[in-house]
PDB file of all heavy atoms in Angstrom:
ATOM      1  N   LYS A  75      -5.548  38.868  19.760  1.00  0.00           N
ATOM      2  CA  LYS A  75      -5.945  38.039  18.620  1.00  0.00           C
ATOM      3  C   LYS A  75      -7.076  37.082  18.965  1.00  0.00           C
ATOM      4  O   LYS A  75      -7.462  36.257  18.128  1.00  0.00           O
ATOM      5  CB  LYS A  75      -4.739  37.248  18.106  1.00  0.00           C
ATOM      6  CG  LYS A  75      -3.618  38.115  17.564  1.00  0.00           C
ATOM      7  CD  LYS A  75      -2.458  37.258  17.057  1.00  0.00           C
ATOM      8  CE  LYS A  75      -1.351  38.133  16.493  1.00  0.00           C
ATOM      9  NZ  LYS A  75      -0.195  37.316  16.007  1.00  0.00           N
ATOM     10  N   SER A  76      -7.568  37.174  20.198  1.00  0.00           N
ATOM     11  CA  SER A  76      -8.639  36.268  20.656  1.00  0.00           C
ATOM     12  C   SER A  76      -8.269  34.810  20.387  1.00  0.00           C
ATOM     13  O   SER A  76      -9.100  34.015  19.915  1.00  0.00           O
ATOM     14  CB  SER A  76      -9.962  36.603  19.960  1.00  0.00           C
ATOM     15  OG  SER A  76     -10.403  37.891  20.308  1.00  0.00           O
ATOM     16  N   THR A  77      -7.041  34.476  20.703  1.00  0.00           N
ATOM     17  CA  THR A  77      -6.536  33.148  20.368  1.00  0.00           C
ATOM     18  C   THR A  77      -5.866  32.490  21.568  1.00  0.00           C
ATOM     19  O   THR A  77      -5.121  33.126  22.305  1.00  0.00           O
ATOM     20  CB  THR A  77      -5.538  33.233  19.199  1.00  0.00           C
ATOM     21  OG1 THR A  77      -6.183  33.823  18.068  1.00  0.00           O
ATOM     22  CG2 THR A  77      -5.048  31.844  18.807  1.00  0.00           C
ATOM     23  N   LEU A  78      -6.152  31.225  21.699  1.00  0.00           N
ATOM     24  CA  LEU A  78      -5.549  30.360  22.710  1.00  0.00           C
ATOM     25  C   LEU A  78      -4.648  29.386  21.970  1.00  0.00           C
ATOM     26  O   LEU A  78      -5.037  28.844  20.937  1.00  0.00           O
ATOM     27  CB  LEU A  78      -6.645  29.608  23.457  1.00  0.00           C
ATOM     28  CG  LEU A  78      -6.230  28.660  24.556  1.00  0.00           C
ATOM     29  CD1 LEU A  78      -5.709  29.434  25.764  1.00  0.00           C
ATOM     30  CD2 LEU A  78      -7.406  27.767  24.967  1.00  0.00           C
ATOM     31  N   TYR A  79      -3.460  29.176  22.514  1.00  0.00           N
ATOM     32  CA  TYR A  79      -2.487  28.311  21.860  1.00  0.00           C
ATOM     33  C   TYR A  79      -2.122  27.123  22.741  1.00  0.00           C
ATOM     34  O   TYR A  79      -2.184  27.192  23.968  1.00  0.00           O
ATOM     35  CB  TYR A  79      -1.199  29.090  21.551  1.00  0.00           C
ATOM     36  CG  TYR A  79      -1.388  30.293  20.657  1.00  0.00           C
ATOM     37  CD1 TYR A  79      -1.551  31.565  21.195  1.00  0.00           C
ATOM     38  CD2 TYR A  79      -1.396  30.146  19.275  1.00  0.00           C
ATOM     39  CE1 TYR A  79      -1.712  32.668  20.370  1.00  0.00           C
ATOM     40  CE2 TYR A  79      -1.556  31.247  18.445  1.00  0.00           C
ATOM     41  CZ  TYR A  79      -1.716  32.504  19.001  1.00  0.00           C
ATOM     42  OH  TYR A  79      -1.880  33.593  18.181  1.00  0.00           O
ATOM     43  N   LEU A  80      -1.699  26.058  22.076  1.00  0.00           N
ATOM     44  CA  LEU A  80      -1.187  24.894  22.792  1.00  0.00           C
ATOM     45  C   LEU A  80      -0.019  24.328  21.997  1.00  0.00           C
ATOM     46  O   LEU A  80      -0.194  23.896  20.859  1.00  0.00           O
ATOM     47  CB  LEU A  80      -2.269  23.827  22.971  1.00  0.00           C
ATOM     48  CG  LEU A  80      -1.816  22.556  23.683  1.00  0.00           C
ATOM     49  CD1 LEU A  80      -1.318  22.872  25.093  1.00  0.00           C
ATOM     50  CD2 LEU A  80      -2.961  21.540  23.762  1.00  0.00           C
ATOM     51  N   GLN A  81       1.153  24.359  22.609  1.00  0.00           N
ATOM     52  CA  GLN A  81       2.345  23.765  22.027  1.00  0.00           C
ATOM     53  C   GLN A  81       2.611  22.455  22.755  1.00  0.00           C
ATOM     54  O   GLN A  81       2.744  22.445  23.976  1.00  0.00           O
ATOM     55  CB  GLN A  81       3.546  24.706  22.161  1.00  0.00           C
ATOM     56  CG  GLN A  81       4.860  24.100  21.707  1.00  0.00           C
ATOM     57  CD  GLN A  81       4.895  23.825  20.211  1.00  0.00           C
ATOM     58  OE1 GLN A  81       4.398  24.620  19.419  1.00  0.00           O
ATOM     59  NE2 GLN A  81       5.489  22.697  19.828  1.00  0.00           N
ATOM     60  N   MET A  82       2.677  21.377  22.014  1.00  0.00           N
ATOM     61  CA  MET A  82       2.854  20.054  22.602  1.00  0.00           C
ATOM     62  C   MET A  82       4.182  19.482  22.137  1.00  0.00           C
ATOM     63  O   MET A  82       4.414  19.332  20.935  1.00  0.00           O
ATOM     64  CB  MET A  82       1.698  19.141  22.178  1.00  0.00           C
ATOM     65  CG  MET A  82       0.336  19.674  22.599  1.00  0.00           C
ATOM     66  SD  MET A  82      -1.041  18.650  22.033  1.00  0.00           S
ATOM     67  CE  MET A  82      -1.067  19.073  20.295  1.00  0.00           C
ATOM     68  N   ASN A  83       5.039  19.188  23.089  1.00  0.00           N
ATOM     69  CA  ASN A  83       6.349  18.618  22.795  1.00  0.00           C
ATOM     70  C   ASN A  83       6.482  17.246  23.417  1.00  0.00           C
ATOM     71  O   ASN A  83       5.737  16.892  24.337  1.00  0.00           O
ATOM     72  CB  ASN A  83       7.455  19.532  23.333  1.00  0.00           C
ATOM     73  CG  ASN A  83       7.452  20.905  22.674  1.00  0.00           C
ATOM     74  OD1 ASN A  83       7.130  21.041  21.500  1.00  0.00           O
ATOM     75  ND2 ASN A  83       7.824  21.910  23.445  1.00  0.00           N
ATOM     76  N   ASN A  84       7.441  16.491  22.913  1.00  0.00           N
ATOM     77  CA  ASN A  84       7.695  15.152  23.436  1.00  0.00           C
ATOM     78  C   ASN A  84       6.392  14.355  23.538  1.00  0.00           C
ATOM     79  O   ASN A  84       6.079  13.775  24.585  1.00  0.00           O
ATOM     80  CB  ASN A  84       8.390  15.225  24.799  1.00  0.00           C
ATOM     81  CG  ASN A  84       8.888  13.889  25.276  1.00  0.00           C
ATOM     82  OD1 ASN A  84       9.103  12.973  24.478  1.00  0.00           O
ATOM     83  ND2 ASN A  84       9.068  13.746  26.575  1.00  0.00           N
ATOM     84  N   LEU A  85       5.663  14.343  22.467  1.00  0.00           N
ATOM     85  CA  LEU A  85       4.365  13.678  22.469  1.00  0.00           C
ATOM     86  C   LEU A  85       4.505  12.174  22.628  1.00  0.00           C
ATOM     87  O   LEU A  85       5.467  11.559  22.144  1.00  0.00           O
ATOM     88  CB  LEU A  85       3.612  14.003  21.179  1.00  0.00           C
ATOM     89  CG  LEU A  85       2.979  15.407  21.166  1.00  0.00           C
ATOM     90  CD1 LEU A  85       2.687  15.857  19.742  1.00  0.00           C
ATOM     91  CD2 LEU A  85       1.714  15.410  22.001  1.00  0.00           C
ATOM     92  N   LYS A  86       3.529  11.606  23.303  1.00  0.00           N
ATOM     93  CA  LYS A  86       3.501  10.172  23.571  1.00  0.00           C
ATOM     94  C   LYS A  86       2.244   9.574  22.941  1.00  0.00           C
ATOM     95  O   LYS A  86       1.253  10.277  22.751  1.00  0.00           O
ATOM     96  CB  LYS A  86       3.484   9.928  25.079  1.00  0.00           C
ATOM     97  CG  LYS A  86       4.624  10.582  25.839  1.00  0.00           C
ATOM     98  CD  LYS A  86       4.461  10.385  27.333  1.00  0.00           C
ATOM     99  CE  LYS A  86       5.586  11.066  28.100  1.00  0.00           C
ATOM    100  NZ  LYS A  86       5.437  10.883  29.574  1.00  0.00           N
ATOM    101  N   PRO A  87       2.262   8.283  22.664  1.00  0.00           N
ATOM    102  CA  PRO A  87       1.056   7.663  22.097  1.00  0.00           C
ATOM    103  C   PRO A  87      -0.189   7.883  22.966  1.00  0.00           C
ATOM    104  O   PRO A  87      -1.298   8.027  22.437  1.00  0.00           O
ATOM    105  CB  PRO A  87       1.441   6.184  22.036  1.00  0.00           C
ATOM    106  CG  PRO A  87       2.916   6.203  21.836  1.00  0.00           C
ATOM    107  CD  PRO A  87       3.401   7.358  22.668  1.00  0.00           C
ATOM    108  N   GLU A  88      -0.001   7.945  24.250  1.00  0.00           N
ATOM    109  CA  GLU A  88      -1.151   8.163  25.138  1.00  0.00           C
ATOM    110  C   GLU A  88      -1.694   9.583  25.078  1.00  0.00           C
ATOM    111  O   GLU A  88      -2.730   9.883  25.677  1.00  0.00           O
ATOM    112  CB  GLU A  88      -0.793   7.797  26.588  1.00  0.00           C
ATOM    113  CG  GLU A  88       0.448   8.450  27.133  1.00  0.00           C
ATOM    114  CD  GLU A  88       1.678   7.558  26.994  1.00  0.00           C
ATOM    115  OE1 GLU A  88       1.840   6.886  25.943  1.00  0.00           O
ATOM    116  OE2 GLU A  88       2.483   7.537  27.954  1.00  0.00           O
ATOM    117  N   ASP A  89      -1.016  10.461  24.357  1.00  0.00           N
ATOM    118  CA  ASP A  89      -1.551  11.804  24.138  1.00  0.00           C
ATOM    119  C   ASP A  89      -2.567  11.834  22.995  1.00  0.00           C
ATOM    120  O   ASP A  89      -3.214  12.851  22.751  1.00  0.00           O
ATOM    121  CB  ASP A  89      -0.423  12.788  23.809  1.00  0.00           C
ATOM    122  CG  ASP A  89       0.507  13.034  24.979  1.00  0.00           C
ATOM    123  OD1 ASP A  89       0.005  13.173  26.114  1.00  0.00           O
ATOM    124  OD2 ASP A  89       1.735  13.096  24.751  1.00  0.00           O
TER     125      ASP A  89
END
Side-chain angles (χ1 to χ4, degrees):
K75 297 181 179 179
S76 296
T77 302
L78 180 71
Y79 301 95
L80 179 60
Q81 174 66 39
M82 301 177 286
N83 297 326
N84 190 22
L85 283 160
K86 305 175 181 180
E88 52 265 40
D89 292 318

